[in-house]
Amino acid sequence: MNDRPLTSYEPNPLLGWVYRRFFESIEVDEAWLHAVREADTRGTVVYVLRNLSLVDFLALDYLTKRHDLPRIRFANDLGLWILEPMRGGLLGALRSRAPESDAADLERAVSSGASAALFLKRPAHLLETHSRGKIEGDKLLGALLDFQRRSKSPLLLVPQVFVWSRSPGTRGARAADALFGPSEWPGNLRSIAQFAANWRYASLRAGEPLDLAEFIAKEGAGTGDDVLIRRLTYALLRRLERERRALVGPTRKPADRLREEVIRSPKLQKVIADMAGEGEKERAVIAARAMQMLRDLEASLDMNAIAALDRLVAAAAARMFSAVEVDEPGIERLRERAREGTLVLLPSHKSHMDYVVLAWILYRRKVPLPLVAAGDNLNFFPLGPVFRRAGAFFIRRKFQGDRLYSAVVDAYVRRQLREGAPFEFFLEGGRSRTGKLLPPKLGLLSLVVDAALAVPTRTTWFCPVSIGYERFVEEEAFVREMSGAEKQKENVRGLLKSMDVTMGRYGRLSVQFGRPLSLPEVLQELDPNTRPEDVASMTPNRRRAVVTRLAYRVMNEINAVVAVTAGSLVAAALLAHDKRGLPHADLVATCERLARTLRRCGARFSPSLLDPAHGGAIRGAALSEAVDMFVRAGHVETRRIGDETIYLVRPEARMSLDLAKNGIIHFFAARMLIATALLAAPGAPLLLTVVRERVNAMSRLFKYEFTFRADATFERIFDEEVAAMAADGEIVLRTEGTTDVFPRGEDGRAQIELYASLLDNFVEGYRIAARGLTALLRGPLATRDVVKRAIATGEKMFLAGEVGRREAVSQPLLDNAYACFVDQGYLARSEGKVSLNESYATATAVATIESRIVAMGPRLGSRS
């Protein structure tokens, strides 16, 4: 054994300056501090690092001193003779020495209760001539096993991961890898280069500590040391890799190699063979077409491009938004799931900003960046190349009937998921023009589920994400489209025209994360008797059921985590009242009423909206800021009369406010229907069975407007909501033989009328759609033409005072109404056109449809 004292060294002044200058900014995970301190209370800490690195050692040494953690008194195979002239540096504790001496010194260090740094591997590369090939820590792990068997105090092996580069690295032999070591197993020169380029953004994470005594008790019975060491090495490397992947994602393959693997996919090869027949030339031609399709759609994620975009997005966000609020616990849940499996992010989609915003937030918080499925309408210069390097892969909006293209997309997604790449796509398909979630599109989700089922050894996590804006960036375009104008194609001119949006103020941007879902969990919901192993052997019908349930569970999770902002509350209050102007005091009172219900629903609130010093009450200043935002946008006018401020909403601005209101409308959906049913007989109690029937009819009518819970029947949702309204003091349930229901006092009635007022524009929109059916009395028309005529009809009804909500004259509302009319048997679809069913093909019958809808909204009957 070497007689050198194994005391922890103190750095010389020069090295001390380097420590403070470059290592001070390392982001240290609080979980790392907790793990090391907790391990220190249980036994002796051994810091385990994946591959030999001088930079990692210096950083770890600095951080243990800075945070008063167990000091390092041993580090293997570092070869620090180069620091000999500096004196006072590392010389006192560490020298280049033989592996046999390392093992003895390691045992001497841990036997004295000191900590050690253990590097498991060092790949060989040309520029480190002293490298003895791929050195592994077998002798050192063997020494620790021997010591642990003789010791009563446990050794705690704590995996350490330093991330100096956000790039996950690329697999495959390259000249630079031979010289400097691969990026995931770098030599000292590459480590130093990565450190020099990224030291401001470096991170340290800790894996789950491994109790060596418990490991021996579990794995050691009848097992030879060689096998035990291999198992221990694998366990430690697996924990280290989990932490690395949670920060940067899986190591990527070179683009050409990935393409070849995609093209060789058995399913894709079968499609090529079927289309080509027996001819070799035909097969080559179709394979070349498939390769070109793959090149057109594939992503080329470039972390250097992301780093450059980070600065641009940060500057734009600072100008556009008053604040960016992120669900930090949700980020930690994502990171934890990234350790365990593959992430599939499923955000809401309200703006083209969604792509950029989510990537920016994930990058800033060191979560692996996903590959993003984007419509090929965005693949135009210069935006397309930028998106591609930011991780977007472009797919056609529709490719039904193109067997080869479908097979290429399927093979690409399958291969990327097999590699563990995180994914992101919008379950709604396109951007919502209404502020509400659109019904889920199941095509791409079904493809991803199939790909996930093909990798049963790794869990795929489907992660709902809510991205909310107080004011929509594309507000002007959305209002124009809702009023009947054609959607403008994305191009360079539109991009340049939209550049001035950065001069606007769009309030707060909120990003919230729902609970990640797995396929076994969803299958368990469908059938509690399902076993985990049943997931991989689902029948086609069961698989479709799982995909559908998963889609709606994701939508429910997104709705559940939407952040309530001052802008959404103010917009709802401004649109709910029937008077010409709304006094400030009434605005505040209405917002507080809405917030009271939202709290009872368990909704999340924007931190800026609540005042912690006053029990989480609504901040009046936050409401005033939201009003000012709408005033600056030209949506609201203010009038000062004496000491009172009165707000007036411009009729043409109601659709803009409706976008903000609809972000939280789903929280009130069930109560809006119940309240509207109750007001059908003002002043008189109603039988609960009658209310149930009316609500059931309205829920079917508005099924395309609101997403109800996917985990419960209508009867259960209705009963729970009625019970909650009674518990909240809004209604009375009186049982005397039968059960009657009616509002509780003046306050209860005011709350019921507020709920009903939130549904008014939907009832009026469907009334306009019913009136528009008269255009079909002369014969079938394309749905687009019926909607255009109904918009013109709605404009006349609004000007005539038959409808009072300008936002009711809305193309998406009419589209949903006609889809519902098909389901209810009023209309039939054939060859792209709609026509009145025979039973409703008269003016009297059409009028009857309208009268049924008016009867559902008795508050609106006075306008008939």
Side-chain angles (χ1 to χ4, degrees):
M1 180 178 292
N2 196 309
D3 293 328
R4 292 189 307 273
L6 292 173
T7 57
S8 180
Y9 67 87
E10 294 298 328
N12 62 53
L14 177 59
L15 193 59
W17 177 85
V18 171
Y19 274 16
R20 290 188 299 274
R21 177 72 177 85
F22 294 105
F23 296 147
E24 182 72 25
S25 60
I26 294 177
E27 179 190 279
V28 177
D29 186 13
E30 286 295 323
W32 174 74
L33 296 173
H34 175 78
V36 174
R37 285 175 179 146
E38 194 272 337
D40 188 41
T41 63
R42 294 167 53 195
T44 300
V45 172
V46 176
Y47 303 98
V48 179
L49 298 96
R50 188 168 68 158
N51 57 289
L52 190 67
S53 168
L54 172 61
V55 174
D56 285 12
F57 171 76
L58 296 177
L60 181 62
D61 179 68
Y62 168 73
L63 292 173
T64 54
K65 287 180 167 65
R66 175 185 169 190
H67 294 284
D68 195 25
L69 299 174
R71 299 290 182 90
I72 301 170
R73 300 196 178 185
F74 170 87
N76 62 299
D77 200 46
L78 271 171
L80 296 172
W81 58 269
I82 195 170
L83 298 178
E84 175 88 23
M86 299 173 64
R87 302 290 178 185
L90 304 175
L91 186 61
L94 305 161
R95 294 179 182 270
S96 177
R97 47 194 183 265
E100 295 77 10
S101 178
D102 270 350
D105 286 347
L106 172 61
E107 184 172 338
R108 185 154 64 99
V110 295
S111 65
S112 68
S115 293
L118 177 60
F119 298 95
L120 292 180
K121 293 179 178 290
R122 181 175 72 193
H125 42 91
L126 299 179
L127 291 189
E128 295 197 11
T129 55
H130 64 277
S131 175
R132 295 177 296 276
K134 193 170 184 178
I135 296 173
E136 301 189 9
D138 290 7
K139 289 184 179 295
L140 303 178
L141 290 177
L144 292 178
L145 288 170
D146 288 340
F147 175 78
Q148 183 64 82
R149 292 187 181 105
R150 303 191 304 269
S151 174
K152 295 181 180 180
S153 177
L155 293 176
L156 282 302
L157 309 186
V158 185
Q160 313 290 307
V161 178
F162 283 98
V163 176
W164 304 110
S165 170
R166 293 302 308 276
S167 173
T170 304
R171 276 180 257 169
R174 295 181 300 175
D177 296 343
L179 288 173
F180 306 111
S183 58
E184 70 271 27
W185 296 94
N188 278 328
L189 289 178
R190 191 163 203 156
S191 293
I192 292 170
Q194 290 177 346
F195 162 71
N198 300 280
W199 62 271
R200 293 180 181 85
Y201 315 106
S203 299
L204 171 62
R205 294 289 188 272
E208 180 185 356
L210 188 150
D211 187 319
L212 196 56
E214 292 179 1
F215 179 83
I216 293 172
K218 181 179 179 180
E219 303 283 350
T223 304
D225 271 7
D226 288 347
V227 175
L228 202 59
I229 288 170
R230 284 199 299 272
R231 290 179 182 175
L232 180 57
T233 301
Y234 173 78
L236 291 169
L237 288 175
R238 186 169 181 272
R239 296 183 189 201
L240 287 162
E241 177 62 13
R242 285 178 62 196
E243 294 303 317
R244 193 191 72 85
R245 284 170 61 104
L247 283 172
V248 300
T251 305
R252 297 198 299 266
K253 292 180 178 177
D256 55 349
R257 179 179 169 187
L258 185 66
R259 286 190 211 107
E260 290 297 330
E261 292 183 357
V262 170
I263 294 298
R264 290 200 304 267
S265 161
K267 287 183 69 175
L268 179 55
Q269 283 295 313
K270 184 177 186 305
V271 170
I272 292 173
D274 289 347
M275 294 177 68
E278 299 297 327
E280 289 297 325
K281 289 184 178 179
E282 289 82 355
R283 184 185 293 250
V285 169
I286 295 175
R289 283 177 52 201
M291 180 63 78
Q292 187 56 51
M293 289 175 177
L294 182 58
R295 289 179 183 275
D296 290 341
L297 73 85
E298 67 181 350
S300 55
L301 182 60
D302 183 342
M303 296 309 297
N304 292 325
I306 293 291
L309 286 171
D310 171 66
R311 299 182 182 90
L312 295 175
V313 176
R319 297 185 68 183
M320 295 172 68
F321 305 110
S322 56
V324 178
E325 298 173 344
V326 180
D327 172 18
E328 299 297 346
I331 289 285
E332 287 305 314
R333 285 195 300 272
L334 278 190
R335 192 174 285 119
E336 182 60 35
R337 296 301 185 270
R339 293 183 179 98
E340 301 170 7
T342 301
L343 301 182
V344 177
L345 301 174
L346 300 168
S348 58
H349 195 19
K350 297 182 174 68
S351 169
H352 284 318
M353 286 289 295
D354 298 339
Y355 301 96
V356 180
V357 160
L358 188 54
W360 175 58
I361 286 170
L362 296 177
Y363 177 78
R364 287 265 166 135
R365 285 157 180 79
K366 297 184 173 65
V367 176
L369 293 187
L371 302 179
V372 184
D376 62 353
N377 58 309
L378 294 178
N379 189 16
F380 61 87
F381 184 83
L383 192 60
V386 173
F387 274 0
R388 195 184 295 276
R389 297 186 74 184
F393 63 98
F394 298 102
I395 57 177
R396 301 173 191 167
R397 290 290 184 180
K398 296 180 180 179
F399 47 87
Q400 292 176 346
D402 190 335
R403 188 181 176 196
L404 181 61
Y405 188 80
S406 298
V408 169
V409 174
D410 177 73
Y412 180 74
V413 171
R414 282 176 181 270
R415 174 50 57 184
Q416 291 285 16
L417 276 177
R418 186 178 291 275
E419 296 296 322
F423 261 83
E424 174 190 331
F425 64 94
F426 299 106
L427 197 50
E428 298 166 88
R431 290 172 296 163
S432 168
R433 266 68 173 175
T434 65
K436 297 187 283 90
L437 289 182
L438 299 174
K441 304 291 191 299
L442 304 184
L444 188 54
L445 179 65
S446 180
L447 191 152
V448 171
V449 167
D450 281 348
L453 291 174
V455 193
T457 56
R458 185 168 58 244
T459 303
T460 300
W461 294 100
F462 296 86
C463 309
V465 186
S466 167
I467 304 177
Y469 306 86
E470 282 196 289
R471 276 191 62 215
F472 281 41
V473 177
E474 293 101 322
E475 178 185 287
E476 183 179 340
F478 285 178
V479 169
R480 192 168 54 247
E481 291 173 26
M482 286 192 292
S483 300
E486 294 292 332
K487 177 182 178 293
Q488 297 296 312
K489 185 178 180 180
E490 286 82 1
N491 53 35
V492 177
R493 180 183 298 178
L495 175 64
L496 294 175
K497 185 178 179 182
S498 66
M499 295 280 285
D500 62 355
V501 299
T502 58
M503 300 300 294
R505 285 292 175 181
Y506 296 90
R508 281 173 163 75
L509 167 66
S510 175
V511 179
Q512 304 289 317
F513 297 91
R515 186 171 65 87
L517 304 167
S518 67
L519 293 178
E521 177 184 351
V522 174
L523 193 57
Q524 189 78 21
E525 289 179 2
L526 289 170
D527 182 1
N529 297 319
T530 300
R531 299 167 301 173
E533 56 268 27
D534 295 336
V535 174
S537 57
M538 288 189 289
T539 64
N541 287 340
R542 175 53 60 91
R543 190 191 65 79
R544 283 192 292 271
V546 166
V547 170
T548 302
R549 171 60 70 91
L550 173 62
Y552 282 94
R553 287 282 282 107
V554 167
M555 304 309 271
N556 290 158
E557 280 290 326
I558 292 174
N559 271 336
V561 300
V562 166
V564 179
T565 63
S568 57
L569 277 183
V570 166
L574 288 170
L575 295 178
H577 78 102
D578 292 321
K579 303 179 182 66
R580 191 180 302 276
L582 182 67
H584 179 78
D586 291 351
L587 172 76
V588 172
T590 303
C591 289
E592 288 176 344
R593 281 186 176 278
L594 294 170
R596 184 172 67 187
T597 302
L598 290 165
R599 285 193 186 92
R600 291 163 178 167
C601 294
R604 299 182 182 184
F605 284 79
S606 166
S608 62
L609 181 57
L610 304 180
D611 186 354
H614 293 83
I618 296 294
R619 289 177 56 246
L623 300 181
S624 297
E625 290 168 8
V627 172
D628 289 342
M629 176 181 66
F630 292 132
V631 169
R632 291 196 305 271
H635 302 335
V636 176
E637 296 180 6
T638 60
R639 301 286 174 83
R640 188 79 177 174
I641 302 176
D643 294 333
E644 191 171 38
T645 300
I646 299 177
Y647 305 116
L648 295 87
V649 179
R650 294 176 176 174
E652 65 274 13
R654 292 185 68 91
M655 276 195 180
S656 296
L657 293 180
D658 200 49
L659 289 170
K661 178 203 78 173
N662 281 343
I664 60 171
I665 195 70
H666 58 277
F667 288 113
F668 304 98
R671 296 196 182 198
M672 290 189 315
L673 301 183
I674 294 170
T676 301
L678 279 174
L679 294 179
L686 283 176
L687 288 173
L688 186 61
T689 54
V690 172
V691 175
R692 185 191 302 270
E693 290 172 2
R694 290 179 177 176
V695 171
N696 194 14
M698 282 190 287
S699 69
R700 291 197 299 270
L701 180 68
F702 297 119
K703 71 182 209 177
Y704 294 110
E705 303 297 341
F706 308 115
T707 301
F708 296 99
R709 287 167 51 191
D711 62 342
T713 62
F714 165 80
E715 288 74 16
R716 178 181 166 188
I717 296 172
F718 176 84
D719 290 340
E720 290 179 357
E721 205 64 50
V722 166
M725 293 174 73
D728 293 343
E730 297 171 354
I731 60 175
V732 174
L733 293 173
R734 182 178 63 191
T735 303
E736 295 177 0
T738 59
T739 302
D740 294 335
V741 57
F742 52 91
R744 180 186 291 274
E746 290 300 318
D747 185 72
R749 184 166 190 83
Q751 196 74 14
I752 293 299
E753 289 183 345
L754 175 59
Y755 293 148
S757 70
L758 296 175
L759 190 68
D760 284 355
N761 66 298
F762 296 98
V763 178
E764 289 189 338
Y766 279 54
R767 180 186 179 184
I768 292 168
R771 180 79 62 88
L773 294 176
T774 57
L776 296 174
L777 292 173
R778 297 179 181 179
L781 289 171
T783 304
R784 181 185 303 176
D785 294 331
V786 179
V787 170
K788 284 184 177 179
R789 298 188 186 193
I791 287 175
T793 298
E795 294 285 357
K796 294 176 184 177
M797 294 173 72
F798 174 70
L799 294 174
E802 290 186 84
V803 297
R805 311 288 189 179
R806 178 64 182 79
E807 64 272 23
V809 190
S810 164
Q811 180 175 323
L813 205 54
L814 296 171
D815 283 334
N816 288 342
Y818 289 132
C820 177
F821 290 173
V822 170
D823 293 345
Q824 299 212 338
Y826 302 152
L827 297 177
R829 291 189 191 274
S830 179
E831 298 180 353
K833 294 185 177 183
V834 291
S835 60
L836 290 164
N837 275 325
E838 186 176 350
S839 301
Y840 297 95
T842 66
T844 302
V846 168
T848 300
I849 297 173
E850 182 181 344
S851 64
R852 288 176 183 173
I853 294 171
V854 170
M856 289 183 176
R859 288 164 37 84
L860 313 178
S862 60
R863 300 193 184 113
S864 300

